[in-house]
Amino acid sequence: MPVYLFWGEDTYRLSKAVQDLHQAVLDPDWQSFNLDKIDVASGSDSTASVMQGLNQAMTPPFGLGQRLVWLTNPLVGATADLLPEFERTLPALPSTSHLLLTQTAKPDGRSKLTKLLQKQAQVTEFALIPPWKTAQILQMVKRAVHDLDVPLTQAAGEQLAEAVGNDTRRLYGELEKLKLYSLSSSAQNKRIGLEIVQHLVSSTTQNSLQLAETIRQGQTDQALGLVAELLNLNEPGLKIVATLTRQFRTWLWVKLMVVSGEQDERIIARSAEVGNPKRIYFLKQAVQTVTCQQLRHSLSCLLDLEVALKQGEETRSTLITTVVKMSQICQSTPVVPEDRQGQRNRNL
């Protein structure tokens, strides 16, 4: 049945899948006649917009090719009145018509309409990889490098993954730039190495990691300087929060394992989702100056910050306030009680 439900926060991959569907079902010369995109706004008109889309989907295509009806955010605030309409329309759709539903939010699994679509539609999720799952991000980069046939060394690929994080749109944009560089006369028949990627790809993620370090060390002035630098580079506030959350979460896991007496770096790396166990030595050194309580409080501040930004709070002032608060949390460091507890566990 030609019904599709695309959802997820990775808007780049989702939009690319939509473009692929466009090319597969629409004739370019007749696209203006056979493509209907309806933005379903939440409110009193949402039901009418969905009804309009369902009626359009029942209309045969005009001229060559097939028809595509695209509804954006149709399930957000959908009322029970729509369920009978979907039940009536979906089985009767012509084979030459395609109905596409897209949204970023996860569909409500308890809804009868969602359950109906799960049975009768091709459901595809486009979820962002959590920023702390560096191994999965690296695999995503490797697949993209292979797809675009960009001659990167392994070290260059790792640097690219560190620089772009889970931002798929930026990943493909940077790879296109690196591919153009590889076709230049000076780079032909050469693999692109680490130094070239460091020079061509700006690493705001790396600056966010430096921000996390300065906060952990209680260096408020330096932290505020890095915040200003990141915002001046137009780095999204939520992306800064994601990087900080990943780093503080990793530190907390490592600290908890150390305090519990665990010494095997491979076990610590597995628990903290650190891809390279050799990093654990340096992470253990970093968390010597903070307590589990301080790291928990810092993560709580980051959660409040994320909620505030998603609710529309002003980015600069909200971020500055949180960074100052986290720096103050990390300034006083009573590490002795936890270290003694860890030593007691090891002795046992």
Side-chain angles (χ1 to χ4, degrees):
M1 185 176 296
V3 183
Y4 314 86
L5 173 58
F6 294 168
W7 70 273
E9 295 182 345
D10 194 339
T11 55
Y12 177 79
R13 289 173 51 225
L14 190 151
S15 61
K16 191 173 184 300
V18 172
Q19 291 176 3
D20 292 342
L21 185 61
H22 281 194
Q23 295 176 359
V25 305
L26 294 173
D27 185 289
D29 295 332
W30 296 89
Q31 178 172 315
S32 58
F33 297 97
N34 293 324
L35 173 62
D36 297 285
K37 180 180 178 182
I38 301 175
D39 296 320
V40 182
S42 59
S44 58
D45 294 335
S46 60
T47 300
S49 298
V50 174
M51 292 287 294
Q52 178 188 353
L54 294 178
N55 291 333
Q56 285 293 98
M58 293 296 294
T59 306
F62 187 76
L64 300 178
Q66 303 181 46
R67 177 176 294 279
L68 176 62
V69 178
W70 177 12
L71 302 178
T72 64
N73 299 314
L75 305 183
V76 178
T79 62
D81 298 340
L82 288 174
L83 179 61
E85 297 300 328
F86 274 91
E87 289 176 332
R88 177 181 63 84
T89 303
L90 295 188
L93 281 178
S95 59
T96 54
S97 291
H98 299 259
L99 178 63
L100 171 63
L101 316 175
T102 64
Q103 62 183 50
T104 55
K106 182 178 181 180
D108 184 0
R110 300 166 298 178
S111 167
K112 292 183 179 180
L113 179 54
T114 299
K115 293 177 181 179
L116 173 67
L117 290 172
Q118 288 173 339
K119 292 179 180 179
Q120 301 197 24
Q122 301 177 38
V123 182
T124 307
E125 178 184 359
F126 298 91
L128 283 173
I129 299 174
W132 58 83
K133 294 190 175 181
T134 54
Q136 291 187 24
I137 291 175
L138 182 58
Q139 288 300 318
M140 176 186 71
V141 170
K142 289 180 178 178
R143 288 194 298 269
V145 168
H146 180 268
D147 292 342
L148 296 181
D149 194 23
V150 183
L152 291 186
T153 64
Q154 180 175 348
E158 292 173 354
Q159 173 62 28
L160 181 61
E162 185 69 33
V164 302
N166 63 351
D167 190 339
T168 315
R169 186 180 303 277
R170 186 177 174 214
L171 169 61
Y172 279 86
E174 297 293 353
L175 283 175
E176 291 288 355
K177 180 170 65 178
L178 292 171
K179 186 172 184 178
L180 287 175
Y181 173 83
S182 70
L183 298 176
S184 65
S185 58
S186 60
Q188 283 185 353
N189 302 322
K190 295 181 181 179
R191 292 173 65 82
I192 298 175
L194 175 62
E195 293 183 358
I196 298 299
V197 172
Q198 289 176 331
H199 179 70
L200 294 179
V201 181
S202 60
S203 180
T204 50
T205 301
Q206 192 66 32
N207 288 340
S208 295
L209 292 175
Q210 293 173 7
L211 174 60
E213 287 284 346
T214 57
I215 292 173
R216 179 182 58 78
Q217 295 170 11
Q219 299 173 350
T220 306
D221 292 341
Q222 292 88 330
L224 292 178
L226 285 170
V227 169
E229 179 183 341
L230 286 165
L231 294 178
N232 290 338
L233 290 171
N234 296 320
E235 182 73 352
L238 286 173
K239 188 175 179 182
I240 297 173
V241 175
T243 304
L244 293 177
T245 302
R246 178 188 66 185
Q247 190 62 27
F248 274 88
R249 179 183 179 276
T250 301
W251 281 334
L252 178 58
W253 267 108
V254 172
K255 187 67 177 182
L256 289 171
M257 298 296 286
V258 170
V259 170
S260 70
E262 183 58 61
Q263 298 184 12
D264 191 328
E265 293 185 347
R266 290 173 298 179
I267 295 177
I268 298 176
R270 192 180 310 120
S271 299
E273 296 185 352
V274 175
N276 184 3
K278 294 181 180 180
R279 284 187 58 206
I280 297 302
Y281 171 80
F282 301 99
L283 290 170
K284 288 166 69 175
Q285 297 297 314
V287 298
Q288 284 183 354
T289 59
V290 285
T291 65
C292 293
Q293 186 177 16
Q294 288 171 317
L295 293 171
R296 289 193 188 101
H297 287 171
S298 298
L299 281 171
S300 178
C301 291
L302 289 171
L303 177 60
D304 292 340
L305 173 60
E306 181 179 356
V307 172
L309 293 180
K310 287 184 176 179
Q311 289 179 343
E313 296 290 337
E314 201 276 325
T315 299
R316 184 177 293 270
S317 60
T318 309
L319 189 56
I320 288 174
T321 301
T322 303
V323 166
V324 171
K325 183 177 180 181
M326 292 173 63
S327 297
Q328 292 174 346
I329 290 173
C330 295
Q331 279 174 0
S332 177
T333 316
V335 299
V336 176
E338 288 192 325
D339 287 350
R340 286 178 178 173
Q341 180 64 37
Q343 183 64 45
R344 187 182 299 114
N345 291 336
R346 288 190 288 273
N347 292 337
L348 292 175

